[in-house]
């Protein structure tokens, strides 16, 4: 039985304020340095951040950019995605994953995910390959999504990708800092992308993103694409590109946040472990693959009585959120694109059952005890009735 709920307290879903108070002096000094030198676009902090990101994750090259969506678009442009070509993506993700394909004229083919990790299901990936071929689509690549902070099962996915002659882009918008069986995020796939949106595990105070690759030629193309497809100088355009640069101020902020990122990742793991221990039975907890770590962008549960539980949490001042309430293959903008095998049953079930609890590195044990208590002792009976 859950202990009685203690006196009501304020819980933040993502508490950026506590982090900022920890390093405010360093942030102020970093921004002041940018204001002093005045190189607001592609200033020295941008290159320094890229070097530090590569050192952190082990990627040979890092290209910073304006946001996580631009990172995906840049990666697809670097792979030469052409109109009409098909790319397999999960439906259980934020729209940017498929949007990047569609905005370049490509065709997203939606695959299902696993019920315990929420990541791409290798069997559904195989079905998506068959679906694309049955529909006569020229299939060229796969975008995996390391959802909620955990890398996909690449031991299962990579052989399918290679056997079919495809390239692999890893969308790690939520998973930078995680490790897959000794391989850090940033070194998986042909390219890896991430986001520095403020709510991400490593976030700036605006928009930002990055692309990681070990290939020298790909990096040269990415650098050109990021600045309007420039060649030898900014008035020599050798390809169609974009304006995808990261602001110097955001780079300066990220340098200071990266300095404490390893400690914050450890703290996030401790928060997840405490949730595992504190939460009442009857809730399906996140599953972590053996030999893997998660950046724990979200701590996401499953329950057949989700709406009632979220209502109870709200009544006790505990915020929660649904990622994602409507999967991409059911959204108006994407519902006409192919679906692996004609149906995504796991994604449809998750749509009705998932919800996420507060998750950040500064969530205290007392906060989590309060959150666990807010579920109430009746959760087991409620869950059983719902099932």
């Amino acid at each position: 039985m859950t202990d009685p709920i203690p006196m009501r307290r304020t819980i933040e879903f993502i508490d950026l304020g506590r982090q900022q108070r920890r390093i405010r002096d360093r942030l102020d000094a970093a921004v002041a340095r940018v204001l002093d030198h005045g190189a607001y676009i592609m200033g020295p902090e941008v290159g320094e951040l890229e070097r530090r990101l590569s050192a952190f994750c082990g990627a040979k090259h890092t290209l910073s950019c304006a946001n996580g969506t631009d990172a995906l678009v840049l990666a697809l442009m670097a792979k030469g995605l052409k109109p009409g070509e098909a790319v397999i993506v999960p439906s259980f993700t934020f729209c940017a994953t498929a949007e990047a394909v569609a905005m370049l004229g490509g065709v997203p083919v939606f695959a299902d995910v696993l019920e315990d990790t929420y990541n791409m299901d290798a069997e559904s990936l195989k079905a998506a390959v068959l679906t694309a071929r049955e529909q006569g689509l020229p299939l060229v690549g796969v975008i995996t999504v390391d959802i909620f902070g955990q890398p996909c099962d690449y031991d299962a996915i990579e052989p399918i990708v290679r056997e079919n002659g495809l390239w692999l882009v890893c969308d790690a918008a939520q998973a930078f800092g995680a490790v897959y069986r000794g391989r850090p995020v940033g070194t998986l796939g042909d390219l890896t992308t991430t986001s520095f949106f403020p709510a991400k595990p490593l976030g700036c105070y605006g928009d930002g993103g990055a692309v990681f690759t070990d290939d020298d030629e790909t990096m040269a193309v990415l650098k050109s694409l990021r600045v309007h497809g420039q060649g030898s100088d900014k008035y020599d355009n050798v390809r169609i590109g974009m304006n995808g640069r990261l602001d110097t101020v955001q780079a300066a902020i990220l340098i200071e946040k990266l300095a404490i990122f390893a400690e914050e990742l450890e703290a996030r793991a401790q928060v997840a472990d405490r949730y595992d221990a504190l939460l009442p039975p009857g809730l399906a907890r996140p599953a972590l693959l053996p030999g893997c770590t998660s950046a724990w962008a979200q701590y996401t549960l499953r329950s057949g009585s989700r709406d009632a539980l979220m209502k109870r949490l709200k009544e006790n001042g505990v915020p929660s959120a649904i990622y994602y309430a409507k999967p991409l293959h059911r959204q108006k903008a994407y519902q006409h694109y192919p679906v692996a095998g004609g149906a995504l049953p796991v994604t449809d079930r998750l749509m009705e059952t998932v919800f996420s609890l507060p998750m950040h590195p500064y969530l205290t044990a007392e906060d989590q005890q309060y959150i666990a208590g807010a579920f109430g002792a009746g959760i087991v009976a409620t869950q059983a009735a719902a099932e």
Side-chain angles (χ1 to χ4, degrees):
M1 181 177 294
T2 310
D3 293 333
I5 300 173
M7 184 178 297
R8 186 185 180 103
R9 59 198 295 140
T10 300
I11 305 289
E12 299 288 343
F13 191 73
I14 297 173
D15 194 340
L16 295 177
R18 294 191 199 183
Q19 180 197 58
Q20 186 180 124
R21 288 191 291 274
R22 176 183 176 185
I23 58 172
R24 181 59 184 263
D25 290 347
R26 283 177 274 174
L27 293 170
D28 288 344
V31 172
R33 285 192 294 272
V34 177
L35 297 178
D36 287 342
H37 66 56
Y40 305 124
I41 302 297
M42 298 302 290
E45 286 82 359
V46 174
E48 180 62 25
L49 172 67
E50 291 172 342
R51 287 187 289 273
R52 295 190 185 200
L53 289 169
S54 286
F56 183 90
C57 72
K60 185 175 182 181
H61 300 293
T62 299
L63 180 104
S64 63
C65 60
N67 54 67
T69 305
D70 279 2
L72 284 165
V73 174
L74 284 164
L76 295 177
M77 292 173 75
K79 296 307 295 182
L81 179 66
K82 298 179 179 62
E85 292 182 334
V87 179
I88 298 169
V89 303
S91 177
F92 190 70
T93 181
F94 184 62
C95 68
T97 311
E99 180 183 45
V101 176
M103 70 187 300
L104 292 175
V107 180
V109 179
F110 292 113
D112 212 347
V113 294
L114 296 165
E115 202 145 16
D116 55 351
T117 66
Y118 317 115
N119 278 326
M120 185 179 282
D121 179 2
E123 292 304 312
S124 184
L125 173 58
K126 293 178 184 177
V129 171
L130 292 175
T131 295
R133 289 179 175 162
E134 288 169 357
Q135 296 192 17
L137 295 169
L139 182 63
V140 294
V142 175
I143 303 178
T144 52
V145 177
D146 301 327
I147 204 76
F148 302 151
Q150 179 178 193
C152 295
D153 187 354
Y154 288 102
D155 287 346
I157 289 171
E158 286 177 324
I160 301 168
V161 172
R162 304 308 175 203
E163 287 164 9
N164 288 280
L166 309 176
W167 44 254
L168 176 62
V169 171
C170 304
D171 179 350
Q174 301 175 3
F176 184 72
V179 177
Y180 177 79
R181 294 170 181 165
R183 302 162 63 193
V185 166
T187 64
L188 301 162
D190 297 299
L191 298 102
T192 297
T193 68
T194 197
S195 169
F196 300 128
F197 183 77
K200 303 301 184 188
L202 179 62
C204 54
Y205 292 149
D207 269 320
V211 186
F212 305 92
T213 182
D214 287 339
D215 185 74
D216 296 345
E217 186 175 331
T218 299
M219 182 60 176
V221 172
L222 286 168
K223 284 184 175 180
S224 171
L225 289 168
R226 177 176 61 180
V227 189
H228 301 290
Q230 73 176 25
S232 58
D233 64 62
K234 66 180 180 179
Y235 298 118
D236 174 35
N237 304 105
V238 298
R239 54 177 56 86
I240 303 299
M242 65 163 67
N243 178 7
R245 300 168 299 205
L246 177 69
D247 290 346
T248 308
V249 168
Q250 299 301 339
I253 289 166
L254 283 166
I255 288 171
E256 300 306 322
K257 289 196 170 192
L258 184 59
I260 62 169
F261 188 46
E263 296 176 21
E264 291 188 332
L265 288 170
E266 290 183 10
R268 285 176 177 273
Q270 291 171 3
V271 168
D273 288 344
R274 283 201 297 264
Y275 270 139
D276 289 345
L278 286 169
L279 291 176
L283 290 168
R285 290 151 166 77
L288 194 60
L289 291 174
C292 298
T293 68
S294 174
W296 292 110
Q298 307 293 346
Y299 186 91
T300 301
L301 303 165
R302 301 190 311 283
S303 172
S305 52
R306 177 185 68 190
D307 293 347
L309 294 175
M310 291 181 70
K311 181 175 183 291
R312 182 174 180 85
L313 291 172
K314 184 178 180 180
E315 289 170 350
N316 287 282
V318 176
S320 59
I322 299 173
Y323 302 97
Y324 297 93
K326 183 182 282 190
L328 296 186
H329 74 288
R330 298 200 176 278
Q331 295 190 24
K332 181 178 180 180
Y334 300 99
Q335 61 188 7
H336 61 287
Y337 289 116
V339 169
L344 306 179
V346 175
T347 296
D348 285 335
R349 285 197 295 274
L350 292 177
M351 177 181 67
E352 302 293 338
T353 58
V354 293
F355 68 110
S356 300
L357 298 182
M359 167 54 81
H360 58 82
Y362 302 95
L363 200 61
T364 67
E366 291 76 18
D367 289 336
Q368 290 185 267
Q369 288 167 358
Y370 180 83
I371 292 167
F375 278 99
I379 183 172
V380 178
T382 304
Q383 174 77 1
E387 294 175 347

